Amino acid sequence: MLTLTQRCSEPLAAARCLHLALTAEERCRSRLYCQSEEGQALYLKLSRGTILRPGEFVATDDGTVVAKILAKPEPTLRVKGADALSLLQAAYHLGNRHVPLEIHASHLRLAADPVLQTLLEQRGLTVTFEIAAFCPESGAYPSHAHG
């Protein structure tokens, strides 16, 4: 099993490159046993508070092995409104509940949840279940590791 301990901007030319598909929740974990798309067993051991984004790289201490982070498709709800105001109001209500949310000009995406689906449908929004990559907003403050 390989242990990945650090972010890196670009892999070394000689590095072995793997691909690591993680759900939105898994990309927020600093400790995680997982498996690369190539079948390699991996252990993420990152600084607390690290939030990985698709397209980033994590590496072993010596940089000889890197894994590119991918957004793993997962159960989601795609929310569309009749107009921009209804979509903004939905984002407001979901934000009040601290729901991780992916925001687009034409729709919202959130993790599948039947209670939230009912709430949104009762507000007149169109909610569609999809298996899709989910990349919620990271929040108001830049992510950084806490010591």
mmCIF file of all heavy atoms in Angstrom, residues 32-74:
data_model
loop_
_atom_site.group_PDB
_atom_site.id
_atom_site.type_symbol
_atom_site.label_atom_id
_atom_site.label_comp_id
_atom_site.label_asym_id
_atom_site.label_seq_id
_atom_site.Cartn_x
_atom_site.Cartn_y
_atom_site.Cartn_z
ATOM 1 N N LEU A 32 -7.782 8.362 4.632
ATOM 2 C CA LEU A 32 -8.693 7.533 3.850
ATOM 3 C C LEU A 32 -7.942 6.390 3.193
ATOM 4 O O LEU A 32 -6.920 6.608 2.524
ATOM 5 C CB LEU A 32 -9.371 8.392 2.766
ATOM 6 C CG LEU A 32 -10.338 7.688 1.825
ATOM 7 C CD1 LEU A 32 -11.595 7.243 2.580
ATOM 8 C CD2 LEU A 32 -10.721 8.610 0.665
ATOM 9 N N TYR A 33 -8.432 5.178 3.399
ATOM 10 C CA TYR A 33 -7.954 4.027 2.639
ATOM 11 C C TYR A 33 -8.766 3.984 1.355
ATOM 12 O O TYR A 33 -10.000 4.087 1.396
ATOM 13 C CB TYR A 33 -8.150 2.718 3.422
ATOM 14 C CG TYR A 33 -7.206 2.578 4.587
ATOM 15 C CD1 TYR A 33 -7.624 2.863 5.882
ATOM 16 C CD2 TYR A 33 -5.891 2.168 4.395
ATOM 17 C CE1 TYR A 33 -6.751 2.745 6.960
ATOM 18 C CE2 TYR A 33 -5.015 2.043 5.461
ATOM 19 C CZ TYR A 33 -5.455 2.329 6.737
ATOM 20 O OH TYR A 33 -4.588 2.217 7.793
ATOM 21 N N CYS A 34 -8.103 3.834 0.215
ATOM 22 C CA CYS A 34 -8.807 3.848 -1.055
ATOM 23 C C CYS A 34 -8.011 3.052 -2.087
ATOM 24 O O CYS A 34 -6.971 2.484 -1.773
ATOM 25 C CB CYS A 34 -9.047 5.280 -1.527
ATOM 26 S SG CYS A 34 -7.592 6.333 -1.446
ATOM 27 N N GLN A 35 -8.516 3.050 -3.302
ATOM 28 C CA GLN A 35 -7.868 2.308 -4.378
ATOM 29 C C GLN A 35 -7.892 3.171 -5.632
ATOM 30 O O GLN A 35 -8.911 3.778 -5.963
ATOM 31 C CB GLN A 35 -8.606 0.990 -4.621
ATOM 32 C CG GLN A 35 -7.937 0.104 -5.630
ATOM 33 C CD GLN A 35 -8.594 -1.270 -5.684
ATOM 34 O OE1 GLN A 35 -9.181 -1.724 -4.720
ATOM 35 N NE2 GLN A 35 -8.487 -1.922 -6.816
ATOM 36 N N SER A 36 -6.760 3.210 -6.329
ATOM 37 C CA SER A 36 -6.676 3.985 -7.569
ATOM 38 C C SER A 36 -7.469 3.278 -8.665
ATOM 39 O O SER A 36 -7.826 2.102 -8.539
ATOM 40 C CB SER A 36 -5.217 4.139 -8.006
ATOM 41 O OG SER A 36 -4.723 2.917 -8.537
ATOM 42 N N GLU A 37 -7.722 3.992 -9.734
ATOM 43 C CA GLU A 37 -8.410 3.403 -10.889
ATOM 44 C C GLU A 37 -7.595 2.253 -11.475
ATOM 45 O O GLU A 37 -8.142 1.356 -12.108
ATOM 46 C CB GLU A 37 -8.665 4.472 -11.954
ATOM 47 C CG GLU A 37 -9.587 5.594 -11.502
ATOM 48 C CD GLU A 37 -10.995 5.110 -11.244
ATOM 49 O OE1 GLU A 37 -11.693 4.760 -12.206
ATOM 50 O OE2 GLU A 37 -11.403 5.083 -10.062
ATOM 51 N N GLU A 38 -6.292 2.276 -11.242
ATOM 52 C CA GLU A 38 -5.400 1.234 -11.740
ATOM 53 C C GLU A 38 -5.332 0.023 -10.810
ATOM 54 O O GLU A 38 -4.641 -0.949 -11.100
ATOM 55 C CB GLU A 38 -3.984 1.808 -11.945
ATOM 56 C CG GLU A 38 -3.882 2.870 -13.014
ATOM 57 C CD GLU A 38 -4.349 4.262 -12.577
ATOM 58 O OE1 GLU A 38 -4.608 4.471 -11.366
ATOM 59 O OE2 GLU A 38 -4.466 5.125 -13.450
ATOM 60 N N GLY A 39 -6.026 0.085 -9.656
ATOM 61 C CA GLY A 39 -6.062 -1.035 -8.723
ATOM 62 C C GLY A 39 -5.033 -0.972 -7.610
ATOM 63 O O GLY A 39 -4.941 -1.906 -6.805
ATOM 64 N N GLN A 40 -4.278 0.106 -7.505
ATOM 65 C CA GLN A 40 -3.256 0.252 -6.468
ATOM 66 C C GLN A 40 -3.916 0.664 -5.148
ATOM 67 O O GLN A 40 -4.670 1.636 -5.103
ATOM 68 C CB GLN A 40 -2.233 1.315 -6.887
ATOM 69 C CG GLN A 40 -1.224 1.685 -5.831
ATOM 70 C CD GLN A 40 -0.242 0.574 -5.516
ATOM 71 O OE1 GLN A 40 0.414 0.050 -6.411
ATOM 72 N NE2 GLN A 40 -0.147 0.189 -4.255
ATOM 73 N N ALA A 41 -3.620 -0.068 -4.070
ATOM 74 C CA ALA A 41 -4.118 0.306 -2.743
ATOM 75 C C ALA A 41 -3.384 1.555 -2.275
ATOM 76 O O ALA A 41 -2.154 1.647 -2.379
ATOM 77 C CB ALA A 41 -3.901 -0.836 -1.754
ATOM 78 N N LEU A 42 -4.151 2.527 -1.772
ATOM 79 C CA LEU A 42 -3.586 3.807 -1.352
ATOM 80 C C LEU A 42 -4.110 4.185 0.027
ATOM 81 O O LEU A 42 -5.217 3.801 0.406
ATOM 82 C CB LEU A 42 -3.978 4.920 -2.335
ATOM 83 C CG LEU A 42 -3.544 4.755 -3.782
ATOM 84 C CD1 LEU A 42 -4.199 5.812 -4.655
ATOM 85 C CD2 LEU A 42 -2.023 4.829 -3.886
ATOM 86 N N TYR A 43 -3.307 4.967 0.724
ATOM 87 C CA TYR A 43 -3.732 5.556 1.990
ATOM 88 C C TYR A 43 -3.457 7.049 1.905
ATOM 89 O O TYR A 43 -2.307 7.469 1.709
ATOM 90 C CB TYR A 43 -2.979 4.937 3.164
ATOM 91 C CG TYR A 43 -3.333 5.537 4.506
ATOM 92 C CD1 TYR A 43 -4.653 5.539 4.964
ATOM 93 C CD2 TYR A 43 -2.358 6.099 5.316
ATOM 94 C CE1 TYR A 43 -4.986 6.086 6.193
ATOM 95 C CE2 TYR A 43 -2.689 6.652 6.556
ATOM 96 C CZ TYR A 43 -4.001 6.640 6.982
ATOM 97 O OH TYR A 43 -4.328 7.189 8.197
ATOM 98 N N LEU A 44 -4.508 7.852 2.022
ATOM 99 C CA LEU A 44 -4.347 9.300 2.068
ATOM 100 C C LEU A 44 -4.051 9.690 3.508
ATOM 101 O O LEU A 44 -4.806 9.355 4.417
ATOM 102 C CB LEU A 44 -5.611 10.016 1.611
ATOM 103 C CG LEU A 44 -5.934 10.007 0.129
ATOM 104 C CD1 LEU A 44 -7.230 10.774 -0.120
ATOM 105 C CD2 LEU A 44 -4.809 10.588 -0.686
ATOM 106 N N LYS A 45 -2.967 10.400 3.708
ATOM 107 C CA LYS A 45 -2.582 10.888 5.033
ATOM 108 C C LYS A 45 -2.176 12.345 4.845
ATOM 109 O O LYS A 45 -1.004 12.677 4.725
ATOM 110 C CB LYS A 45 -1.432 10.059 5.603
ATOM 111 C CG LYS A 45 -1.071 10.406 7.012
ATOM 112 C CD LYS A 45 0.050 9.510 7.519
ATOM 113 C CE LYS A 45 0.435 9.920 8.922
ATOM 114 N NZ LYS A 45 1.584 9.141 9.404
ATOM 115 N N LEU A 46 -3.198 13.211 4.788
ATOM 116 C CA LEU A 46 -2.986 14.623 4.474
ATOM 117 C C LEU A 46 -3.189 15.484 5.704
ATOM 118 O O LEU A 46 -3.738 15.028 6.709
ATOM 119 C CB LEU A 46 -3.972 15.040 3.373
ATOM 120 C CG LEU A 46 -3.899 14.212 2.086
ATOM 121 C CD1 LEU A 46 -5.082 14.518 1.183
ATOM 122 C CD2 LEU A 46 -2.588 14.459 1.368
ATOM 123 N N SER A 47 -2.780 16.730 5.612
ATOM 124 C CA SER A 47 -2.983 17.681 6.706
ATOM 125 C C SER A 47 -4.472 17.836 6.970
ATOM 126 O O SER A 47 -5.281 17.844 6.026
ATOM 127 C CB SER A 47 -2.395 19.042 6.348
ATOM 128 O OG SER A 47 -1.023 18.931 6.114
ATOM 129 N N ARG A 48 -4.833 17.990 8.233
ATOM 130 C CA ARG A 48 -6.242 18.214 8.591
ATOM 131 C C ARG A 48 -6.760 19.442 7.867
ATOM 132 O O ARG A 48 -6.056 20.428 7.714
ATOM 133 C CB ARG A 48 -6.383 18.405 10.094
ATOM 134 C CG ARG A 48 -6.197 17.101 10.849
ATOM 135 C CD ARG A 48 -6.499 17.266 12.305
ATOM 136 N NE ARG A 48 -7.933 17.515 12.433
ATOM 137 C CZ ARG A 48 -8.518 17.930 13.541
ATOM 138 N NH1 ARG A 48 -7.810 18.166 14.609
ATOM 139 N NH2 ARG A 48 -9.809 18.119 13.590
ATOM 140 N N GLY A 49 -8.001 19.369 7.419
ATOM 141 C CA GLY A 49 -8.616 20.496 6.735
ATOM 142 C C GLY A 49 -8.369 20.527 5.239
ATOM 143 O O GLY A 49 -8.887 21.401 4.555
ATOM 144 N N THR A 50 -7.599 19.590 4.732
ATOM 145 C CA THR A 50 -7.323 19.556 3.296
ATOM 146 C C THR A 50 -8.582 19.170 2.533
ATOM 147 O O THR A 50 -9.261 18.209 2.886
ATOM 148 C CB THR A 50 -6.201 18.539 2.976
ATOM 149 O OG1 THR A 50 -5.019 18.935 3.661
ATOM 150 C CG2 THR A 50 -5.939 18.448 1.490
ATOM 151 N N ILE A 51 -8.901 19.936 1.512
ATOM 152 C CA ILE A 51 -10.008 19.617 0.620
ATOM 153 C C ILE A 51 -9.427 19.471 -0.777
ATOM 154 O O ILE A 51 -8.825 20.415 -1.306
ATOM 155 C CB ILE A 51 -11.092 20.711 0.643
ATOM 156 C CG1 ILE A 51 -11.691 20.820 2.042
ATOM 157 C CG2 ILE A 51 -12.178 20.404 -0.392
ATOM 158 C CD1 ILE A 51 -12.660 21.969 2.219
ATOM 159 N N LEU A 52 -9.556 18.294 -1.335
ATOM 160 C CA LEU A 52 -9.011 18.023 -2.664
ATOM 161 C C LEU A 52 -10.015 18.407 -3.728
ATOM 162 O O LEU A 52 -11.221 18.198 -3.567
ATOM 163 C CB LEU A 52 -8.648 16.536 -2.782
ATOM 164 C CG LEU A 52 -7.584 16.041 -1.795
ATOM 165 C CD1 LEU A 52 -7.475 14.528 -1.856
ATOM 166 C CD2 LEU A 52 -6.239 16.701 -2.086
ATOM 167 N N ARG A 53 -9.518 18.953 -4.834
ATOM 168 C CA ARG A 53 -10.359 19.333 -5.970
ATOM 169 C C ARG A 53 -9.966 18.469 -7.161
ATOM 170 O O ARG A 53 -8.792 18.118 -7.326
ATOM 171 C CB ARG A 53 -10.160 20.805 -6.319
ATOM 172 C CG ARG A 53 -10.429 21.797 -5.193
ATOM 173 C CD ARG A 53 -11.841 21.887 -4.755
ATOM 174 N NE ARG A 53 -12.711 22.370 -5.811
ATOM 175 C CZ ARG A 53 -14.029 22.408 -5.721
ATOM 176 N NH1 ARG A 53 -14.619 22.016 -4.615
ATOM 177 N NH2 ARG A 53 -14.758 22.826 -6.714
ATOM 178 N N PRO A 54 -10.933 18.114 -8.003
ATOM 179 C CA PRO A 54 -10.598 17.364 -9.218
ATOM 180 C C PRO A 54 -9.529 18.103 -10.022
ATOM 181 O O PRO A 54 -9.560 19.331 -10.146
ATOM 182 C CB PRO A 54 -11.926 17.306 -9.969
ATOM 183 C CG PRO A 54 -12.960 17.417 -8.887
ATOM 184 C CD PRO A 54 -12.369 18.353 -7.869
ATOM 185 N N GLY A 55 -8.569 17.326 -10.523
ATOM 186 C CA GLY A 55 -7.471 17.896 -11.301
ATOM 187 C C GLY A 55 -6.210 18.119 -10.492
ATOM 188 O O GLY A 55 -5.131 18.287 -11.054
ATOM 189 N N GLU A 56 -6.321 18.126 -9.154
ATOM 190 C CA GLU A 56 -5.143 18.275 -8.299
ATOM 191 C C GLU A 56 -4.392 16.949 -8.224
ATOM 192 O O GLU A 56 -4.932 15.892 -8.541
ATOM 193 C CB GLU A 56 -5.547 18.698 -6.884
ATOM 194 C CG GLU A 56 -6.052 20.101 -6.775
ATOM 195 C CD GLU A 56 -6.344 20.501 -5.343
ATOM 196 O OE1 GLU A 56 -6.699 19.632 -4.511
ATOM 197 O OE2 GLU A 56 -6.216 21.692 -5.064
ATOM 198 N N PHE A 57 -3.150 17.027 -7.741
ATOM 199 C CA PHE A 57 -2.323 15.846 -7.552
ATOM 200 C C PHE A 57 -1.950 15.703 -6.089
ATOM 201 O O PHE A 57 -1.731 16.696 -5.400
ATOM 202 C CB PHE A 57 -1.024 15.956 -8.365
ATOM 203 C CG PHE A 57 -1.223 15.945 -9.849
ATOM 204 C CD1 PHE A 57 -1.372 17.134 -10.554
ATOM 205 C CD2 PHE A 57 -1.269 14.752 -10.549
ATOM 206 C CE1 PHE A 57 -1.549 17.139 -11.921
ATOM 207 C CE2 PHE A 57 -1.450 14.751 -11.921
ATOM 208 C CZ PHE A 57 -1.598 15.943 -12.613
ATOM 209 N N VAL A 58 -1.876 14.463 -5.627
ATOM 210 C CA VAL A 58 -1.306 14.145 -4.313
ATOM 211 C C VAL A 58 -0.168 13.165 -4.563
ATOM 212 O O VAL A 58 -0.197 12.391 -5.519
ATOM 213 C CB VAL A 58 -2.353 13.560 -3.329
ATOM 214 C CG1 VAL A 58 -3.324 14.631 -2.875
ATOM 215 C CG2 VAL A 58 -3.099 12.390 -3.936
ATOM 216 N N ALA A 59 0.842 13.222 -3.689
ATOM 217 C CA ALA A 59 2.053 12.440 -3.942
ATOM 218 C C ALA A 59 2.571 11.771 -2.680
ATOM 219 O O ALA A 59 2.228 12.162 -1.562
ATOM 220 C CB ALA A 59 3.133 13.363 -4.509
ATOM 221 N N THR A 60 3.439 10.791 -2.910
ATOM 222 C CA THR A 60 4.182 10.183 -1.815
ATOM 223 C C THR A 60 5.208 11.201 -1.332
ATOM 224 O O THR A 60 5.486 12.191 -2.006
ATOM 225 C CB THR A 60 4.897 8.900 -2.292
ATOM 226 O OG1 THR A 60 5.698 9.222 -3.444
ATOM 227 C CG2 THR A 60 3.915 7.800 -2.642
ATOM 228 N N ASP A 61 5.793 10.954 -0.155
ATOM 229 C CA ASP A 61 6.801 11.877 0.400
ATOM 230 C C ASP A 61 7.925 12.176 -0.584
ATOM 231 O O ASP A 61 8.369 13.308 -0.698
ATOM 232 C CB ASP A 61 7.410 11.311 1.684
ATOM 233 C CG ASP A 61 6.526 11.524 2.898
ATOM 234 O OD1 ASP A 61 5.704 12.464 2.878
ATOM 235 O OD2 ASP A 61 6.654 10.749 3.863
ATOM 236 N N ASP A 62 8.379 11.149 -1.291
ATOM 237 C CA ASP A 62 9.515 11.345 -2.207
ATOM 238 C C ASP A 62 9.091 11.783 -3.612
ATOM 239 O O ASP A 62 9.941 12.027 -4.467
ATOM 240 C CB ASP A 62 10.369 10.079 -2.275
ATOM 241 C CG ASP A 62 9.614 8.861 -2.799
ATOM 242 O OD1 ASP A 62 8.444 9.000 -3.248
ATOM 243 O OD2 ASP A 62 10.190 7.761 -2.765
ATOM 244 N N GLY A 63 7.783 11.870 -3.869
ATOM 245 C CA GLY A 63 7.294 12.345 -5.167
ATOM 246 C C GLY A 63 7.404 11.351 -6.302
ATOM 247 O O GLY A 63 7.141 11.696 -7.457
ATOM 248 N N THR A 64 7.762 10.109 -5.994
ATOM 249 C CA THR A 64 7.925 9.118 -7.069
ATOM 250 C C THR A 64 6.602 8.550 -7.561
ATOM 251 O O THR A 64 6.538 7.984 -8.647
ATOM 252 C CB THR A 64 8.837 7.954 -6.619
ATOM 253 O OG1 THR A 64 8.263 7.350 -5.466
ATOM 254 C CG2 THR A 64 10.248 8.440 -6.319
ATOM 255 N N VAL A 65 5.545 8.691 -6.750
ATOM 256 C CA VAL A 65 4.206 8.254 -7.152
ATOM 257 C C VAL A 65 3.243 9.396 -6.881
ATOM 258 O O VAL A 65 3.253 9.975 -5.790
ATOM 259 C CB VAL A 65 3.754 6.989 -6.387
ATOM 260 C CG1 VAL A 65 2.349 6.567 -6.803
ATOM 261 C CG2 VAL A 65 4.741 5.846 -6.596
ATOM 262 N N VAL A 66 2.439 9.723 -7.892
ATOM 263 C CA VAL A 66 1.423 10.763 -7.735
ATOM 264 C C VAL A 66 0.083 10.198 -8.177
ATOM 265 O O VAL A 66 0.020 9.268 -8.982
ATOM 266 C CB VAL A 66 1.740 12.044 -8.540
ATOM 267 C CG1 VAL A 66 3.014 12.684 -8.063
ATOM 268 C CG2 VAL A 66 1.779 11.765 -10.016
ATOM 269 N N ALA A 67 -0.966 10.760 -7.633
ATOM 270 C CA ALA A 67 -2.318 10.380 -8.048
ATOM 271 C C ALA A 67 -3.064 11.650 -8.420
ATOM 272 O O ALA A 67 -3.079 12.622 -7.656
ATOM 273 C CB ALA A 67 -3.045 9.649 -6.922
ATOM 274 N N LYS A 68 -3.655 11.636 -9.610
ATOM 275 C CA LYS A 68 -4.490 12.753 -10.040
ATOM 276 C C LYS A 68 -5.889 12.538 -9.487
ATOM 277 O O LYS A 68 -6.473 11.467 -9.637
ATOM 278 C CB LYS A 68 -4.537 12.829 -11.561
ATOM 279 C CG LYS A 68 -5.315 14.017 -12.064
ATOM 280 C CD LYS A 68 -5.239 14.138 -13.572
ATOM 281 C CE LYS A 68 -5.951 15.406 -14.019
ATOM 282 N NZ LYS A 68 -5.811 15.589 -15.477
ATOM 283 N N ILE A 69 -6.439 13.552 -8.832
ATOM 284 C CA ILE A 69 -7.754 13.461 -8.212
ATOM 285 C C ILE A 69 -8.838 13.639 -9.282
ATOM 286 O O ILE A 69 -8.792 14.582 -10.075
ATOM 287 C CB ILE A 69 -7.919 14.514 -7.103
ATOM 288 C CG1 ILE A 69 -6.832 14.351 -6.027
ATOM 289 C CG2 ILE A 69 -9.320 14.452 -6.497
ATOM 290 C CD1 ILE A 69 -6.818 12.991 -5.336
ATOM 291 N N LEU A 70 -9.794 12.731 -9.273
ATOM 292 C CA LEU A 70 -10.948 12.776 -10.171
ATOM 293 C C LEU A 70 -12.217 12.844 -9.342
ATOM 294 O O LEU A 70 -12.249 12.356 -8.212
ATOM 295 C CB LEU A 70 -10.996 11.519 -11.050
ATOM 296 C CG LEU A 70 -9.736 11.146 -11.832
ATOM 297 C CD1 LEU A 70 -9.903 9.789 -12.488
ATOM 298 C CD2 LEU A 70 -9.413 12.216 -12.851
ATOM 299 N N ALA A 71 -13.265 13.432 -9.894
ATOM 300 C CA ALA A 71 -14.572 13.456 -9.225
ATOM 301 C C ALA A 71 -15.313 12.170 -9.594
ATOM 302 O O ALA A 71 -15.642 11.953 -10.754
ATOM 303 C CB ALA A 71 -15.374 14.678 -9.656
ATOM 304 N N LYS A 72 -15.542 11.340 -8.598
ATOM 305 C CA LYS A 72 -16.228 10.067 -8.815
ATOM 306 C C LYS A 72 -17.729 10.313 -8.966
ATOM 307 O O LYS A 72 -18.337 10.983 -8.128
ATOM 308 C CB LYS A 72 -15.969 9.146 -7.619
ATOM 309 C CG LYS A 72 -16.555 7.764 -7.749
ATOM 310 C CD LYS A 72 -16.184 6.951 -6.523
ATOM 311 C CE LYS A 72 -16.608 5.522 -6.654
ATOM 312 N NZ LYS A 72 -16.144 4.743 -5.489
ATOM 313 N N PRO A 73 -18.341 9.798 -10.024
ATOM 314 C CA PRO A 73 -19.798 9.948 -10.155
ATOM 315 C C PRO A 73 -20.509 9.351 -8.938
ATOM 316 O O PRO A 73 -20.126 8.293 -8.438
ATOM 317 C CB PRO A 73 -20.115 9.173 -11.430
ATOM 318 C CG PRO A 73 -18.834 9.187 -12.211
ATOM 319 C CD PRO A 73 -17.751 9.099 -11.162
ATOM 320 N N GLU A 74 -21.540 10.072 -8.476
ATOM 321 C CA GLU A 74 -22.275 9.655 -7.286
ATOM 322 C C GLU A 74 -23.730 10.095 -7.408
ATOM 323 O O GLU A 74 -24.057 10.920 -8.262
ATOM 324 C CB GLU A 74 -21.628 10.241 -6.031
ATOM 325 C CG GLU A 74 -21.543 11.757 -6.021
ATOM 326 C CD GLU A 74 -20.760 12.287 -4.828
ATOM 327 O OE1 GLU A 74 -21.225 12.101 -3.685
ATOM 328 O OE2 GLU A 74 -19.696 12.876 -5.042
#
